[in-house]
Amino acid sequence: MPERHEEMLAQIAGEYYLENTSKVEIAKAHGISRFQVARYLDEARREGIVTITIRHPLALPADGPELAEALGIASVTIASIPEGAPDARDRLARAAAGVVADVVSEGSRLGVSWSRTLQEMAGHLPTLPGCDVVQLAGSISVTGGGGSGSLIHRLGQAAGGRTWPLPAPLIVETAETAASLRRQPEISDALQAADALDVAVVSLGDWAAGKSTVYERVSPAQRQAATAAGAVAECSGRLLAADGSAADAGLDDCVIAVTLEQLTSTPQVVLVAPSEDGVAGVRAAVAAGIANHLVIGPALALRLAGELGLSITGRSSDSGTGAPA
C-alpha cells in the first residue's frame, strides 16, 4: 500500500536524519541494502516527506556589488564572519589580504598604515608581487603584538622591494615637535614617498572609546575637542567629520602620518573597517574619497544596507521537496 511505503520512507528518514543512524545500520535493521537506503532517502526528499532548510548564519543584507554601487566605490568585500565568532578579526584580516593581493601589481608602490587588523593581515600575505612598501603612519606599540614598525618590515619581506619606514611616533605632544621630526631625512623621505602611491591600505576607527587606537592615546581634553569639532572617525591619525571633511581639533599638526590629501590622490585605497556599527565613519571616508575598496564584516554590511535603503532581510535557502543539488 502507498501509505505503508510512505511510512517506511518516513521511518528510514527519521532514523537517518534525526537519530544519526548510519545507512549501513539502517540497512541491517530493515533487511535491505545500504544502496536501497540511499534511494529511499532520495525518494523521501522528492515526495516532500523530508524537507531541508539551511539558515545562513551571516544573513547578509546585500551583496558586495550592491553596496559598492550604492556607495559609489569600486568594490565592497564582506568577510565571512558568523555571529559571535571568536576569530572575527582574523577573518576580516584574511578578507583584506585577498583584496590587497588582487589590487597590488608588479612594480607598484604600496602604502600601509597600521591597525590590529592590518597587523594580522600581514600574516595572510606570505608573498606579494614585487613592489615597494611605504609606512603611512608613525609607530604605535600595543600590548601583546608588534606595532606599525614590525608590520612594514613583514610586508617589505613579502614584497621584496624597497621599504620606506617611518621612524617616529604617530602622535607627539606639540606641533613644534612634529614639525622638527618631519624635517629628519628618513621621516621626510617616507612622507614624500606617500605622494606617489599606487595602492594604500588603511584602517578606519570610530571616534569612540575602544574603537580607535588614536582615541586611547590622546588626553580627555583632546578627545572632547575632537568630538566638538564633529569627528566621527579616524584614519591613520586623521580625523573625519560626517561629511568627509577634516575635523579640525588641533590634533592634525601633532600627527606624523600620510595626509588625507595624499590618500585622496592614491588610485587604489583599500579601507578596512572593523567596527560593527561604523556606518557614519564609512560614509565619511567615502565622502572624503579615501575608499575605493571597502572590507567590512556582515554586521556593518547590514547597517550600511539599511542606511542606504537596500534590502535588509536575511537570506535562507530551503531545499523544499527537491533533492539537494
Side-chain angles (χ1 to χ4, degrees), residues 250-271:
L251 283 177
D252 217 39
D253 290 339
C254 299
V255 170
I256 302 175
V258 63
T259 64
L260 293 177
E261 291 76 14
Q262 286 173 311
L263 288 177
T264 57
S265 64
T266 301
Q268 304 278 357
V269 180
V270 179
L271 181 72

Side-chain angles (χ1 to χ4, degrees), residues 95-227:
V99 176
V100 172
D102 285 341
V103 299
V104 173
S105 58
E106 189 81 20
S108 61
R109 181 176 291 183
L110 169 65
V112 182
S113 189
W114 185 89
S115 73
R116 293 178 178 88
T117 304
L118 298 187
Q119 186 79 20
E120 293 192 20
M121 179 198 75
H124 297 296
L125 283 170
T127 60
L128 282 170
C131 62
D132 297 337
V133 183
V134 182
Q135 183 175 335
L136 298 182
S139 298
I140 297 177
S141 297
V142 294
T143 303
S148 50
S150 66
L151 171 61
I152 205 70
H153 289 301
R154 290 179 68 185
L155 290 177
Q157 290 176 345
R162 179 180 176 182
T163 60
W164 278 272
L166 190 57
L170 175 62
I171 302 176
V172 295
E173 290 187 2
T174 67
E176 292 76 14
T177 301
S180 176
L181 286 171
R182 291 191 197 100
R183 288 192 292 268
Q184 299 299 314
E186 288 185 334
I187 297 172
S188 175
D189 288 348
L191 293 175
Q192 289 179 14
D195 286 335
L197 298 174
D198 297 297
V199 179
V201 185
V202 294
S203 186
L204 187 72
D206 293 344
W207 190 245
K211 300 294 182 68
S212 163
T213 308
V214 173
Y215 187 94
E216 309 296 339
R217 282 166 169 73
V218 298
S219 68
Q222 289 172 316
R223 294 173 195 162
Q224 190 173 27
T227 302

Side-chain angles (χ1 to χ4, degrees), residues 57-64 67 71 76-85 87-96 99 117 203-204 271-279 282 293-306:
L58 299 181
L60 296 181
D63 62 18
L67 284 171
L71 289 169
V76 173
T77 298
I78 305 172
S80 176
I81 306 174
E83 186 176 353
D87 59 344
R89 189 188 303 279
D90 186 69
R91 286 171 175 263
L92 190 66
R94 188 184 299 272
V99 176
T117 304
S203 186
L204 187 72
L271 181 72
V272 182
S275 175
E276 293 188 351
D277 51 4
V279 172
V282 168
H293 306 277
L294 178 64
V295 183
I296 56 176
L300 181 52
L302 176 66
R303 290 175 171 83
L304 274 172

